[in-house]
Amino acid sequence: MTQGAVEQSFRFGNTELPPEASEATRKAKRLAWLTIAFLVTAVTLVYLVMGSSQAMKAAWAEDLLSFIPPIAFLVAMRVTGRVPSEQHPYGYHRSVGIGHLVAATALLTMGAFLVFDSVSGLVAGEHPPVGLIVVLGWEVWSGWLMIAVLAYTCVPAVLLGRAKMPLAETLHDRVLHADADMNKADWMTAVGGIVGVLGIGVGLWWADSAAALFISASILRDGLTNLRVAVTALMDARATTVDGSAPHPLDDRIDEVLRGLPWVREAGSRVRDEGHVFHVESFVVARDGMPTPEQLQEAWTVVTDLDWKVEDLVVVPVDELPEELLPGLRGR
Amino acid sequence: MTTTRRRPAHAALPLVVLILAACGVTVPTDPDGTLDTVRGGELRAGVSPHEPWTQIGPDGAPTGLEVDLVEAFARTLDAEVVWTDGGEEELVADMERGDLDLVVGGFSASTPWTSKAAVTVAYVTVTDPDGKPEGHVMLTPMGENAFLVELERFLLEQEVEAP
């Protein structure tokens, strides 16, 4: 445990990270802290100027929710750093999945609540009052201040999101990916809010609730997408790319390199996404009889050399590929 | 994808403001045109008795600090005040229906009517019985923001002594 603290940024449990991934870890952590610092300023400013605008309220709620992913990421990073123990022989990688599930549920709940809130505002025909505010002796229409604050919140979020996206792919970290995705979408929230406030300004009372509805619908959509990917991963679905859109390329490559070994006649693997790393069970059928310990060791080496994400590889020599364990065979 | 789509959004903002200014739209504007109707016409004000801010005289005419403020505000708009007196709830409901443009009655900034009426900035701050500072405000119809801003501008210019 003491060694874990020092080497945390270089390891996920037993997995030693290559330099590229170590660097990505360091950068991602720094960006997570930067995001939290930025959000503190955004939440404070939006709260100070929000008045009774529905759109500002939705934008504020979104900023508050945006704290969850970077915090979940930092916590998950700490937890995955632990080495497997007797109690946790598979390590602590699932913390990423749990963090992702928590973040997705928070998004979904808040999105649903805000959609309800803005729809009822529209139906009730609520006319939002936006009056004067005195700033340093100047009398300003609060709407201009709201617009200025929204414009401020939009730029850093987009930049942070763009910086995080490639790191999320390198680290295969879904919490970071969800976070980056939300940050990237933040400019829509800000622009939606600005349109709503301008709408109030020109006397369209419904513009505010309509903008709020647009913002909350995007929060709800984020929540649904993330919940689906998080639950799928926790259900031990076949490993996919970090955004959950396609099967992970490693899946096929593992079988390819195994079949490439001269003594191997057939090979099939199950790959399960534990978080940052994959747990792989590879079944191999040797050309003549049982493979030797050296051959099995060779199989282990070629697969684990493929990518740092391959952790806990189990190579099982079999007479015939087991169809019940490899449902993919049935289609062949 | 974001860079290409972000730029127009930023560029559009000053543009929108310019277009609005060019069209002669003042920001904010009233959805129901309260300020326009009041200017040069009638200011339909509700007054609920709340001494020492507002009182109803024996002849039924309202008097008090807030009544004077409303009369002075109406003069800046060339409007004549038509007073209606009653209880707070009744007056706020009248305003919600669009029958009143303003309600006074010694309301403080922590008034429970905020979900039914727009609250102005505090025009004077007094110390409440618990020793906490308490701002005094007027109520206007929800979302009639040009009217609200006009009234707030007037109130901020006044130097009001607490009664």
Side-chain angles (χ1 to χ4, degrees), chain A residues 1-13 15-17 22 25-26 29 81-83:
Chain A
M1 226 46 271
T2 37
Q3 114 206 42
V6 183
E7 297 180 9
Q8 204 172 45
S9 52
F10 305 97
R11 300 177 146 267
F12 290 146
T15 310
E16 192 94 23
L17 291 189
S22 288
T25 312
R26 253 192 299 272
K29 280 186 182 173
R82 296 191 193 163
V83 280

Side-chain angles (χ1 to χ4, degrees), chain B residues 76-96:
Chain B
T76 66
L77 291 177
D78 247 344
E80 198 168 321
V81 186
V82 180
W83 289 102
T84 307
D85 57 63
E88 287 180 15
E89 190 171 354
E90 188 188 338
L91 294 174
V92 169
D94 281 349
M95 194 162 70
E96 273 198 293

Side-chain angles (χ1 to χ4, degrees), chain A residues 74-274:
Chain A
L74 287 170
V75 171
M77 269 309 197
R78 269 201 99 76
V79 178
T80 39
R82 296 191 193 163
V83 280
S85 63
E86 206 172 348
Q87 272 298 314
H88 292 268
Y90 294 97
Y92 292 83
H93 307 290
R94 288 278 194 221
S95 57
V96 179
I98 295 167
H100 193 199
L101 185 68
V102 169
T105 312
L107 279 176
L108 185 74
T109 316
M110 191 47 99
F113 169 74
L114 289 173
V115 164
F116 171 77
D117 210 31
S118 36
V119 167
S120 47
L122 273 177
V123 170
E126 278 169 19
H127 293 210
V130 180
L132 282 185
I133 193 166
V134 182
V135 189
L136 310 169
W138 288 76
E139 292 167 12
V140 209
W141 182 53
S142 313
W144 295 128
L145 222 59
M146 294 180 187
I147 291 172
V149 166
L150 286 171
Y152 158 71
T153 62
C154 123
V155 183
V158 172
L159 294 179
L160 284 167
R162 289 172 62 83
K164 284 175 196 165
M165 202 50 100
L167 302 177
E169 270 154 36
T170 310
L171 293 176
H172 193 72
D173 191 307
R174 294 218 159 96
V175 185
L176 189 60
H177 187 271
D179 186 22
D181 224 15
M182 277 175 66
N183 288 161
K184 270 176 72 181
D186 245 14
W187 70 269
M188 286 195 282
T189 309
V191 172
I194 290 173
V195 170
V197 175
L198 278 176
I200 301 178
V202 298
L204 306 171
W205 62 268
W206 48 264
D208 184 50
S209 288
L213 184 59
F214 167 79
I215 296 169
S216 8
S218 94
I219 300 178
L220 187 63
R221 194 190 54 101
D222 275 349
L224 278 172
T225 322
N226 278 297
L227 192 67
R228 188 175 51 80
V229 178
V231 168
T232 315
L234 284 174
M235 285 291 292
D236 285 346
R238 128 184 240 190
T240 59
T241 50
V242 73
D243 56 1
S245 65
H248 200 283
L250 261 182
D251 200 340
D252 287 337
R253 280 187 45 216
I254 291 171
D255 290 349
E256 269 168 39
V257 295
L258 284 175
R259 282 193 213 107
L261 294 173
W263 56 271
V264 173
R265 191 175 58 187
E266 270 187 289
S269 308
R270 291 198 291 198
V271 181
R272 134 170 95 166
D273 186 346
E274 285 278 315

Side-chain angles (χ1 to χ4, degrees), chain A residues 127-132 141 194 200-201, chain B residues 2 13 27-29 118 142-143 145 152:
Chain A
H127 293 210
V130 180
L132 282 185
W141 182 53
I194 290 173
I200 301 178
Chain B
T2 338
L13 195 65
V27 173
T29 289
M142 276 296 214
N145 294 324
E152 288 183 320

Side-chain angles (χ1 to χ4, degrees), chain B residues 108 110 124-136:
Chain B
S108 78
S110 53
V124 67
T125 303
V126 297
T127 312
D128 75 356
D130 297 334
K132 284 193 222 104
E134 185 184 54
H136 273 262

